[in-house]
């Protein structure tokens, strides 16, 4: 359940940087996302990409405009920035973990009280 949600969010983030192409126009290589730290991948369908973009814009877009974090513009959402976070957030498993337990970019402090998450929804 959360894996599909995270895949959609991850691709929504990716779509910030690929704004000129529609989901139908994206080739398989572009729609391929990493599942976990082992490097295993999955290919999202054009419909999943479309849903992910909508979901990201509706849920995350207010604070993550143009691929940056509104509260800290030094933290980007590009794949490289996500890979440098602690823990890594550049794969589906990392995003699922983040949605369950959001922490600062350095991984030291919980931000569940201020960042929308599964934990803050309780």
């Amino acid at each position: 359940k959360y894996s599909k949600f995270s895949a959609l969010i991850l691709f929504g983030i990716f779509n910030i940087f690929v704004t000129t192409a529609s989901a139908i126009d994206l080739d398989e290589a572009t729609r391929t996302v990493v599942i976990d730290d082992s490097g295993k991948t999955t290919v999202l369908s054009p419909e999943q990409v479309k849903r992910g973009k909508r979901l990201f814009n509706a849920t995350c877009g207010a604070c993550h405009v143009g691929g940056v974090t509104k509260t800290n513009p030094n933290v980007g959402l590009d794949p490289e920035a996500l890979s440098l976070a602690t823990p890594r957030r550049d794969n589906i498993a990392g995003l699922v973990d983040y949605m369950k337990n959001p922490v600062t970019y350095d991984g030291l402090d919980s931000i569940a009280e201020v960042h929308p998450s599964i934990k803050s929804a309780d």
Side-chain angles (χ1 to χ4, degrees):
K1 177 179 171 183
Y2 297 120
S3 294
K4 286 185 180 180
F5 178 75
S6 295
L8 297 176
I9 292 292
L10 180 63
F11 215 77
I13 292 169
F14 176 75
N15 265 304
I16 292 170
F17 302 98
V18 186
T19 56
T20 58
S22 71
I24 293 294
D25 297 335
L26 300 176
D27 63 14
E28 187 173 306
T30 305
R31 292 182 286 113
T32 301
V33 296
V34 179
I35 295 174
D36 56 29
D37 288 333
S38 73
K40 187 175 177 184
T41 62
T42 189
V43 179
L44 299 175
S45 70
E47 181 58 32
Q48 287 173 312
V49 173
K50 189 174 169 182
R51 286 178 42 222
K53 187 171 184 173
R54 273 194 313 250
L55 181 61
F56 178 85
N57 288 338
T59 308
C60 312
C63 294
H64 296 287
V65 179
V68 297
T69 303
K70 198 180 223 181
T71 57
N72 185 351
N74 296 321
V75 177
L77 298 180
D78 59 280
E80 181 180 2
L82 293 172
S83 73
L84 297 173
T86 303
R88 293 175 66 124
R89 299 175 191 149
D90 63 339
N91 59 63
I92 294 171
L95 285 174
V96 168
D97 179 59
Y98 182 77
M99 284 180 234
K100 290 180 179 178
N101 185 31
V103 294
T104 54
Y105 189 75
D106 59 13
L108 297 177
D109 300 306
S110 173
I111 57 171
E113 295 298 319
V114 296
H115 192 278
S117 68
I118 294 164
K119 186 180 280 189
S120 66
D122 292 340

